[in-house]
Amino acid sequence: IFHQHKAEFQHHQDGITATMTVSVVPGDDLELRRIAIVNETSERRRVAVTSHAEIVLAPPEEDRRHPAF
């Protein structure tokens, strides 16, 4: 679901709903992500959440030119 100020991604599977909201701060190189996980069943569930970020210290154009990427 796309809004003017954010995007929401939803997934439903086996009684679990996951929603990720992504917002970009205007005028800054900053992205905010919020994840909500809801168990819609009466049974106890265990969920693992993994995150990944690629930190680049070089200017973006230099990073794109690098042969390893």
Side-chain angles (χ1 to χ4, degrees):
I1 303 169
F2 293 98
H3 304 275
Q4 186 175 3
H5 62 291
K6 66 182 178 180
E8 292 180 41
F9 302 90
Q10 298 180 352
H11 184 75
H12 307 279
Q13 184 173 340
D14 299 329
I16 294 178
T17 298
T19 305
M20 180 173 66
T21 304
V22 181
S23 302
V24 177
V25 178
D28 205 348
D29 291 336
L30 183 65
E31 178 181 283
L32 303 173
R33 291 179 180 240
R34 179 178 179 211
I35 298 174
I37 300 171
V38 178
N39 179 9
E40 297 175 337
T41 69
S42 59
E43 64 184 272
R44 191 174 179 159
R45 311 291 286 273
R46 177 177 282 199
V47 178
V49 178
T50 304
S51 179
H52 167 78
E54 182 178 334
I55 307 299
V56 178
L57 300 177
E61 192 57 38
E62 200 173 308
D63 182 55
R64 282 191 281 275
R65 280 196 312 254
H66 195 284
F69 305 107

